[in-house]
Amino acid sequence: MEELPWGRLAGVRPSKQLHRLLDEGLSHAEAYQRMQQTDGISSEKFELLWQVANTARPVVAESSQPDLFSVYVGIPFCPSRCLYCSFPAYSLKELGMWRDQFLDTLLYEIATTGQLARKLQMHPDSFYLGGGTPTSLSPAELDRILSALRLAFPEPVREFTVEAGRPDTLTHEQLAILKKHGVTRVSVNPQSMHNETLQKIGRCHSVAEVYRAVNQVQTAAFPVLNMDLILGLPGENEAMVSKSVQDVLSLSPTNITLHMFSRKRASLFSEEREHFPLPDKTLAATMYRTATGLLSPKYHPYYLYRQREILGDLENIGYCLPGTECIYNIVMIEERQHILGLGCGATSKFIYQDLTLRNLTSPKDVRTYLEKAAELCRRREFELTQTQKALSHSVRSCVFPVF
Ligand code: SF4
């Protein structure tokens, strides 16, 4: 029978298991033995997990206070839809008529959630504006959202990420607005550094635009620049992957996130898969080894997650230069800090002291979101209040039991 590198670890967050073992005080050898016996993990994947968990551990500890939360804001618009996308990402041409109403509703959600945080005496740790592509909105619209966030949560946060995933959407004017509101991390996502692939997957931008956008972000001196790549895109071979990684490395981003191509049911790819042959498992593994080999040892892995139909049964990994780990990515994967998800398709996570959690996901569809926003605010208030009530019945201490 074929040996699976992740063994029986079918879930998307294998590092959560290891953090629990570290909480118990297990050593490297003891943790490996436990995960080998319980989950059948390979030694190669355990070593990767060990590195990830130990890199993330200080961030997990600092961010696990029960009165801290991070805010995720989902902007459901993009210039076009990528072949593999399953996110809420409506073309502005198609659904642009809803943008004013969407903004008004989002601002209401932000203000209501700010009031809730003040009432419960809770504090924001990080902000993440994703989607969709937030920078597909106009500078004035972006300014409204960021001003509303700052007004609702006036305390300083440790990190503020904005996804400018599509490089063709980014302008000097937008970057000035991000600067004005204290954004610390900008993500420009080429996915591939080959024009023919970008066309094939419906990205509607060129490699030249990636270079232009990165140059603008670096000139504006944001502390952290992230760049995403996808390995195993239709029609790509190992040499193409290697070139994309090397081209991205030549731009010296602070963070690089490697995704393995993943077949999502809600994507256009699912409907047209016969036109887009994918690499087989062996080639996917070769691409993965080539890409990760080029990033090590300068960049180190700090978070990872798996997806259901991920190519080669592999994983997505976030790499960073030491000291530039993305707080939001870590807390979102390790699930030890509340996440308040606002906007379309956003998930809120309410964490209890025993590390159980409850989720609340807003509708991906803009019109349904507009109808449900008030109810979402009420449910968010109920769920977050419950976590704080539960705390008052126990000693109010760090969620993290042992270090
Ligand atoms: S840029 Fe991201 S959110 Fe927008 S369509 Fe592409 S994958 Fe989806």
Side-chain angles (χ1 to χ4, degrees), residues 77-82 84-89 131-133 165-166 203:
F77 301 113
C78 272
S80 63
R81 194 161 178 83
C82 301
Y84 48 82
C85 181
S86 66
F87 300 111
T133 304
R166 293 292 191 91
R203 296 278 295 176

Side-chain angles (χ1 to χ4, degrees), residues 76 88 90 95 344-345 362-372:
Y90 301 99
L95 271 184
C344 267
S362 57
K364 285 185 176 184
D365 172 66
V366 180
R367 280 157 289 198
T368 316
Y369 164 72
L370 298 177
E371 283 163 22
K372 303 268 181 198

Side-chain angles (χ1 to χ4, degrees), residues 62 102 115 140 167-168 204 208 216 238 243 266 287 350 361 392:
E62 288 157 12
F102 170 76
Q115 285 162 12
D168 49 328
C204 300
Q216 285 179 341
E238 187 204 351
K243 182 180 180 305
M287 289 172 167
F350 307 99
T361 301
S392 64

Side-chain angles (χ1 to χ4, degrees), residues 46-114:
F46 178 80
E47 290 309 326
L48 172 63
L49 215 50
W50 182 260
Q51 205 184 349
V52 164
N54 281 285
T55 304
R57 197 115 174 112
V59 178
V60 174
E62 288 157 12
S63 53
S64 298
Q65 303 300 323
D67 58 352
L68 288 181
F69 60 88
S70 284
V71 178
Y72 175 86
V73 178
I75 308 293
F77 301 113
C78 272
S80 63
R81 194 161 178 83
C82 301
L83 181 72
Y84 48 82
C85 181
S86 66
F87 300 111
Y90 301 99
S91 134
L92 274 170
K93 273 191 211 121
E94 237 179 82
L95 271 184
M97 75 262 212
W98 296 103
R99 68 203 270 177
D100 285 347
Q101 240 181 300
F102 170 76
L103 278 186
D104 291 344
T105 306
L106 177 62
L107 264 45
Y108 155 79
E109 249 203 309
I110 291 173
T112 308
T113 309

Side-chain angles (χ1 to χ4, degrees), residues 6 8 10 45 83 101-102 121 131 147 159 208 215 224 244 284 298 337 348 373 377 384 389 403:
W6 286 104
R8 292 175 291 281
K45 293 302 176 196
L83 181 72
Q101 240 181 300
F102 170 76
Q121 298 184 327
S147 300
E159 178 186 272
N215 183 271
V224 177
S244 286
K298 190 173 174 192
Q337 184 186 85
S348 295
C377 286
L384 195 59
K389 272 189 188 158
F403 261 105

Side-chain angles (χ1 to χ4, degrees), residues 19 48 63 74 96 217 251 334:
H19 276 294
L48 172 63
S63 53
V217 173
L251 293 166
E334 304 306 346

